[in-house]
Amino acid sequence: MTVSFRSIFAATVLAGTALTAAPAMAQDESDLSVSANVALVSDYRFRGVSLSGGDFAIQGGVDVAHSSGFYVGTWASSLDETGSVYGSTELDIYGGWSGALNESLSVDVGMLVYLYPDADGDFGCNCDYWEPYASVTGAVGPAEVTVGVAYAWEQSSLGDEDNLYLYGDVGFGIPETPVSFVAHLGYTDGILATQGDGTSFDWSLGASVGVMGVDLGLSYVDTQGPSIKHLTDDAIVASLSASF
């Protein structure tokens, strides 16, 4: 589940549809770019909630982008399999378009599907669900600011309820150093909220340093709501990641 955190740690479906709808991608391979990312995190946190049971998770993804701004990609993470109907793996597939609105603003819009290929069918878990997303990014002084929204409509995997997620990210780097900082604030209204009233905030503060092509990160993550099997408690999350 990577809507906001893929831009922080790695931060995703319609891959076949997108490729079919844009034949220019196949006609001119020079307009295509392929990138990949891998990461090891001490805890996989999605909107403040641990999906790896507080344990290490292995993550990675591949993106294919066209010079027109259209892109498709996939991202996966290991999960906490103990006592979970979701199984041991999350697989995200996504596609969309990103580009500049003007010299200072860019936009990213797309569709993401969360897949759980080895979910426990004995419990009747139809866990997969879809979520369109959109964000706008701009420069505010030395910082880069992103505001975004993701909305999952009523689906059986969500108990026939919907979920709205609003978030903001602020990131900046220290000039002439490999050090950067990022702050995140998110608001959930719907089935995925961590409070009984169906709403909750989550937040994080993090720093990373790039060394020889590898990023070392450390962040503090928390969310509102009661302690649920320690999955919603605040945590310090470490990450080791690389992009290619």
Side-chain angles (χ1 to χ4, degrees):
M1 300 182 178
T2 62
V3 172
S4 62
F5 289 102
R6 63 179 178 164
S7 61
I8 298 175
F9 285 123
T12 110
V13 161
L14 302 176
T17 302
L19 290 171
T20 303
M25 296 178 69
Q27 294 173 359
D28 188 355
E29 293 184 0
S30 63
D31 289 334
L32 290 175
S33 62
V34 179
S35 59
N37 59 83
V38 294
L40 175 67
V41 296
S42 61
D43 190 1
Y44 171 23
R45 290 274 169 154
F46 175 69
R47 300 173 186 173
V49 178
S50 175
L51 299 185
S52 60
D55 294 330
F56 281 88
I58 299 173
Q59 304 173 337
V62 177
D63 294 280
V64 179
H66 187 255
S67 59
S68 63
F70 289 99
Y71 63 86
V72 294
T74 185
W75 182 89
S77 177
S78 59
L79 302 176
D80 175 23
E81 190 174 7
T82 304
S84 172
V85 298
Y86 288 93
S88 62
T89 305
E90 174 189 328
L91 175 64
D92 301 346
I93 303 175
Y94 51 90
W97 181 87
S98 64
L101 296 177
N102 53 44
E103 292 184 355
S104 59
L105 290 177
S106 62
V107 65
D108 182 7
V109 295
M111 178 74 84
L112 166 67
V113 60
Y114 303 98
L115 303 173
Y116 303 91
D118 60 347
D120 193 343
D122 292 339
F123 287 89
C125 180
N126 175 20
C127 300
D128 306 340
Y129 68 98
W130 300 74
E131 190 178 64
Y133 58 87
S135 65
V136 177
T137 300
V140 179
E144 183 178 84
V145 178
T146 298
V147 292
V149 57
Y151 177 72
W153 64 87
E154 296 178 1
Q155 300 166 61
S156 60
S157 55
L158 299 176
D160 292 321
E161 297 189 45
D162 64 353
N163 193 81
L164 173 68
Y165 188 67
L166 306 173
Y167 68 92
D169 295 331
V170 178
F172 64 93
I174 299 179
E176 301 181 5
T177 76
V179 179
S180 60
F181 298 90
V182 64
H184 166 83
L185 176 64
Y187 171 74
T188 299
D189 185 345
I191 188 64
L192 299 180
T194 53
Q195 294 196 120
D197 65 356
T199 66
S200 60
F201 283 94
D202 68 272
W203 55 91
S204 66
L205 294 171
S208 65
V209 57
V211 180
M212 300 179 63
V214 176
D215 290 325
L216 305 174
L218 195 66
S219 64
Y220 170 80
V221 184
D222 198 7
T223 187
Q224 281 185 304
S227 176
I228 304 173
K229 297 182 180 180
H230 305 294
L231 303 181
T232 55
D233 294 342
D234 61 339
I236 300 296
V237 178
S239 65
L240 176 65
S241 62
S243 299
F244 311 94

